[in-house]
Amino acid sequence: MRVFLDAAACKQADEEAMQRGIPSPVLMERAAYSVVEEIRKREFDLSCPVVLCGTGNNGGDGAAAARILSEMGYRPRVLLFGDPEKYSDQMKLQLHILSSCPAEVIRCSKEEDLKACDSATVLIDALFGIGLHRDLTGLFAEAVRYVNHLDCPVIAVDIPSGVNTDTGVVCGAAIKASLTVTFTCGKPGLFLFPGTVYAGEVVIREIGIRIPENLDRRRKLYNVEESDLCVLPERDESGNKGTFRKVLCITGSPDICGAAFLSAKAALRTGVGMVKIYTSENNRIPLNTLVPEALLSVYSEKQWEEDQLLRDMDWADIILVGCGLGTGKTALKILKTFLDHNHKPAVMDADALNLLAEHRELMRQPDFPCIITPHIGELSRLLEVSVQDLKENLISIVSRSADESGVVFLAKDARSVVAEPNGRVYLTTSGNSALATAGSGDVLAGITAGLLARVPEHPLAAAALSAFIHGRCGTLAAEDRSEASVNAADLLDYIQRFS
Ligand SMILES: NC(=O)C1=CN([C@@H]2O[C@H](COP(=O)(O)OP(=O)(O)OC[C@H]3O[C@@H](n4cnc5c(N)ncnc54)[C@H](OP(=O)(O)O)[C@@H]3O)[C@@H](O)[C@H]2O)[C@@H](O)CC1
Ligand SMILES: [K+]
């Protein structure tokens, strides 16, 4: 499991390292050295390295990197930006040491000075790191635009200047790096869009800073790796289909069948013993053909009976509700019955959430372990928050909403966020645009229900791992096809790698 820290947590970690007795210049030396090492590893042309330095400690890292390069026999050119009065103590120290080295130092005060970048064969961006706290303007913004037009590798120190460490939002302008060398741990802004596009390849380097133990839980994000799948219980060799639990999928509607197919098949591929699909009678023939492994329980729109649904709910260990359910009268009756009577661990997706958004009187804290899997549009309707606001503050909004609602959120986006009430928050970095295709969410809902069947007491683990697996399926499918041509049903073929 990897950990990402936001800017405040990074500062806390830096301070704790210094309190432990590691002086700031030592940390900076390690940071700068690791940047130089990563650059040399890639065998970039170092005949004219240019370093852009801001006023804070990120600038200090840049100045130290320039000095290390000069010690190695290169001839760096250092461009200093901002008011010298504002230099941090570490920046001043690094400039002082640099002054006795064979490096060209240029103070940039006007646009024309930026021409000094023209001959760069490698550019090191040390304008701003985690201390950026407002939009870039003036010469800073000009410098960023200028650099983004250069044709040489750009290496960002800690984070591309202009990218918000916590949200990945571009603050006015941001350096487009080919490589970002970041220290201690990942920062959310390096993985969230659009920051991730500006960061390029991200390398995390240890420099002797530990992750603090007493961090505010919202400042620390978890990131699932393949090795974390080991938390899933081993499959019982002597088990029967009952051992591997029964999932009821309350999915599909008279006009929609595909969502019921994709979610049921995904649950089966994830290792569920039995799946029953509760759906409209219109779907009987296609579902019998597409998923012959699943049991079917069909209802008629004209003679819908609550008892049949209650019996099916009673049969199940886990319930998935919402994929392609529709938002009509019968769907509403189905959802009400589910909410009034369910006590089993459940996953609520798509139209179950759309119905809740339309009928807010149905919203209440569930007394069963519950995962909801909204995409950004569904989340926007459910929380009555604009899509723009969600895009910029997904982590904080989702974690707060999980606390308030008592359900585990799996908020699907280009980077999915999983949050449990008053607990951990996960940021998923697996996946690609192959997942942005119709039906992909139904596959995810099915995987989530399938994993919940394996760990019914741990909805957070089920949600975090399913987001990871779904992402990996997207990556693997795109390797065999292309991101553009992957269809949701293709994803089903890759679940087996993780089950
Ligand atoms: N501490 C340690 O031990 C270690 C720290 N390390 C390194 O330090 C970095 C963090 O350093 P930091 O905290 O000094 O912040 P940093 O990103 O340099 O920026 C602050 C400066 O920018 C300015 N400023 C901000 N926004 C601005 C804007 N829009 N436009 C214009 N100015 C703006 C702000 O000025 P002000 O806004 O106060 O006027 C201030 O002068 C971290 O990312 C890592 O690289 C590593 O060496 C490991 C050890
Ligand atoms: K930077």
Side-chain angles (χ1 to χ4, degrees):
M1 185 96 60
R2 290 197 300 179
V3 165
F4 300 154
L5 298 188
D6 74 3
C10 289
K11 286 227 156 89
Q12 187 179 330
D14 291 352
E15 275 159 26
E16 286 186 16
M18 288 182 272
Q19 281 161 13
R20 282 204 325 274
I22 311 179
S24 215
V26 172
L27 296 173
M28 195 165 274
E29 194 70 14
R30 291 177 184 165
Y33 197 83
S34 63
V35 171
V36 171
E37 245 182 13
E38 293 299 332
I39 291 174
R40 294 185 77 206
K41 234 189 246 176
R42 286 164 181 76
E43 299 183 353
F44 293 138
D45 175 1
L46 279 166
S47 56
C48 184
V50 171
V51 188
L52 309 186
C53 295
T55 48
N57 286 352
N58 194 253
D61 289 346
R67 188 235 316 139
I68 292 165
L69 283 169
S70 75
E71 284 163 357
M72 291 173 167
Y74 304 107
R75 288 289 169 271
R77 178 177 288 169
V78 180
L79 273 59
L80 302 178
F81 290 81
D83 180 357
E85 296 276 313
K86 287 193 172 178
Y87 288 164
S88 68
D89 290 346
Q90 295 307 312
M91 174 61 176
K92 282 183 198 156
L93 175 68
Q94 294 302 335
L95 283 182
H96 174 68
I97 308 174
L98 184 67
S99 63
S100 59
C101 299
E104 187 185 355
V105 179
I106 300 171
R107 200 169 295 283
C108 277
S109 55
K110 49 188 182 314
E111 225 178 299
E112 231 177 82
D113 297 334
L114 297 172
K115 289 199 177 119
C117 298
D118 288 351
S119 49
T121 54
V122 164
L123 194 129
I124 299 176
D125 156 39
L127 285 174
F128 305 109
I130 59 168
L132 179 83
H133 56 85
R134 58 179 185 273
D135 275 8
L136 268 61
T137 54
L139 193 57
F140 285 114
E142 285 304 324
V144 165
R145 287 187 202 109
Y146 198 91
V147 165
N148 286 348
H149 282 104
L150 294 177
D151 186 22
C152 70
V154 176
I155 293 84
V157 176
D158 215 13
I159 188 159
S161 299
V163 171
N164 181 300
T165 307
D166 301 347
T167 63
V169 166
V170 169
C171 302
I175 293 279
K176 195 114 197 286
S178 33
L179 167 70
T180 296
V181 183
T182 198
F183 311 125
T184 310
C185 61
K187 282 94 192 164
L190 294 172
F191 299 97
L192 290 163
F193 283 90
T196 186
V197 177
Y198 287 78
E201 179 193 353
V202 176
V203 175
I204 300 170
R205 291 289 304 246
E206 286 291 332
I207 58 166
I209 294 174
R210 288 186 208 144
I211 292 169
E213 276 166 23
N214 61 339
L215 273 178
D216 175 336
R217 66 183 177 83
R218 289 213 182 122
R219 308 218 158 285
K220 183 175 173 183
L221 299 178
Y222 293 85
N223 178 245
V224 170
E225 295 176 286
E226 194 133 350
S227 55
D228 298 318
L229 292 169
C230 68
V231 304
L232 293 171
E234 291 268 317
R235 205 166 155 85
D236 180 354
E237 289 286 319
S238 63
N240 58 44
K241 61 189 178 190
T243 315
F244 302 118
R245 300 206 168 92
K246 295 173 276 192
V247 172
L248 176 68
C249 299
I250 305 174
T251 50
S253 52
D255 302 321
I256 303 174
C257 173
F261 153 63
L262 291 166
S263 50
K265 197 77 184 175
L268 285 162
R269 283 261 191 266
T270 310
V272 167
M274 292 169 86
V275 165
K276 183 188 278 190
I277 308 173
Y278 175 86
T279 191
S280 158
E281 60 187 352
N282 291 16
N283 297 331
R284 187 197 302 271
I285 294 172
L287 286 178
N288 266 331
T289 314
L290 289 164
V291 214
E293 306 87 348
L295 301 168
L296 283 189
S297 172
V298 298
Y299 61 80
S300 139
E301 286 274 302
K302 285 187 192 137
Q303 292 171 320
W304 184 80
E305 286 172 12
E306 187 177 66
D307 279 357
Q308 180 193 351
L309 177 55
L310 290 176
R311 279 195 302 278
D312 288 331
M313 286 170 58
D314 200 40
W315 168 88
D317 299 307
I318 304 290
I319 296 178
L320 165 63
V321 56
C323 312
L325 184 67
T327 53
K329 280 186 192 156
T330 310
L332 182 58
K333 282 191 265 182
I334 289 171
L335 183 67
K336 274 186 179 162
T337 301
F338 165 77
L339 291 172
D340 286 345
H341 298 277
N342 182 51
H343 299 289
K344 312 265 173 84
V347 179
M348 295 177 68
D349 184 46
D351 284 336
L353 305 175
N354 291 329
L355 279 166
L356 273 181
E358 272 177 42
H359 302 272
R360 308 190 79 77
E361 70 283 1
L362 297 179
M363 283 189 189
R364 61 186 165 238
Q365 190 123 352
D367 61 0
F368 50 88
C370 181
I371 303 170
I372 64 167
T373 52
H375 59 54
I376 291 289
E378 288 157 356
L379 195 61
S380 166
R381 291 189 283 278
L382 199 62
L383 301 180
E384 296 182 307
V385 173
S386 73
V387 167
Q388 175 76 8
D389 209 0
L390 284 170
K391 289 261 177 206
E392 291 182 1
N393 302 291
L394 191 61
I395 293 168
S396 56
I397 294 174
V398 166
S399 73
R400 197 178 57 234
S401 304
D403 294 351
E404 288 167 3
S405 63
V407 305
V408 172
F409 274 61
L410 193 177
K412 300 176 283 199
D413 198 23
R415 294 284 184 256
S416 296
V417 174
V418 174
E420 81 173 327
N422 304 306
R424 288 186 174 193
V425 182
Y426 285 78
L427 179 63
T428 306
T429 52
S430 63
N432 53 24
S433 74
L435 298 173
T437 183
S440 164
D442 303 316
V443 174
L444 174 63
I447 297 173
T448 311
L451 288 185
L452 193 57
R454 288 173 77 174
V455 284
E457 312 80 27
H458 301 292
L460 176 72
L465 294 177
S466 62
F468 170 79
I469 292 174
H470 185 245
R472 291 286 296 132
C473 289
T475 307
L476 293 169
E479 279 168 13
D480 288 346
R481 294 174 175 78
S482 72
E483 288 190 28
S485 68
V486 170
N487 293 166
D490 299 328
L491 300 171
L492 297 169
D493 294 338
Y494 299 88
I495 298 172
Q496 68 204 36
R497 310 247 185 130
F498 309 96
S499 301

